[in-house]
């Protein structure tokens, strides 16, 4: 059974930093594409960052230069380091795993999310 558990959200002032963690069980984070998504009320869930099995990251334009995703294979955990946070970064942040491939199909797994609030 695949489980993804996020942690690290909270309230931070504009310009501050947070580090989100996503610990996986049932899969290996270094063998799958691991992503971070966010959703705020009234908006669609959007991709923030992801890291593939080769360790190559990519980012949404809105967070490039501010956010960094990484992974610790020994801890089976993926991270999202968020710097220079802005009020528009306020959202519930979700960890995602895309398991499989084009031949056997891809199954998406989601964590329950962790809330990030950027406010004075």
């Amino acid at each position: 059974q695949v489980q993804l558990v996020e942690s690290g959200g909270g309230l931070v002032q504009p310009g501050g930093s947070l580090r989100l963690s996503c610990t996986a069980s049932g899969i290996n984070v270094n063998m799958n594409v691991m992503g971070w998504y966010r959703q705020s009320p009234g908006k669609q869930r959007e991709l923030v960052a992801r890291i593939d099995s080769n360790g190559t990251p990519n980012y949404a334009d809105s967070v490039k230069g501010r956010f960094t995703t990484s992974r610790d294979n020994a801890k089976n955990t993926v991270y999202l380091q968020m710097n220079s946070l802005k009020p528009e970064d306020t959202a519930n942040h979700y960890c995602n795993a895309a398991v499989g491939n084009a031949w056997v199909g891809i199954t998406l797994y989601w964590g329950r999310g962790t809330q990030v609030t950027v406010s004075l």
Side-chain angles (χ1 to χ4, degrees):
Q1 184 180 2
V2 177
Q3 284 192 320
L4 304 174
V5 180
E6 304 98 334
S7 61
L11 173 64
V12 64
Q13 292 186 351
S17 298
L18 283 174
R19 188 178 79 157
L20 306 185
S21 300
C22 170
T23 299
S25 58
I27 59 168
N28 293 320
V29 298
N30 63 334
M31 295 179 66
N32 298 283
V33 178
M34 302 297 298
W36 288 98
Y37 288 72
R38 66 186 181 189
Q39 187 172 20
S40 51
K43 294 187 177 181
Q44 287 190 331
R45 191 171 295 189
E46 62 176 1
L47 175 67
V48 176
R50 61 184 167 204
I51 184 167
D52 68 15
S53 56
N54 295 319
T56 302
N58 59 69
Y59 303 93
D61 288 343
S62 59
V63 306
K64 280 181 182 176
R66 300 189 297 123
F67 291 10
T68 303
T69 188
S70 61
R71 67 187 185 208
D72 184 328
N73 297 337
K75 295 182 178 180
N76 211 31
T77 297
V78 178
Y79 302 99
L80 183 67
Q81 178 67 44
M82 305 184 295
N83 299 328
S84 302
L85 282 161
K86 304 175 181 180
E88 50 264 43
D89 295 318
T90 295
N92 204 357
H93 285 65
Y94 298 89
C95 181
N96 164 273
V99 180
N101 55 52
W103 291 269
V104 300
I106 295 175
T107 301
L108 299 180
Y109 296 93
W110 296 92
R112 291 187 175 183
T114 184
Q115 178 67 34
V116 172
T117 302
V118 185
S119 179
L120 291 171

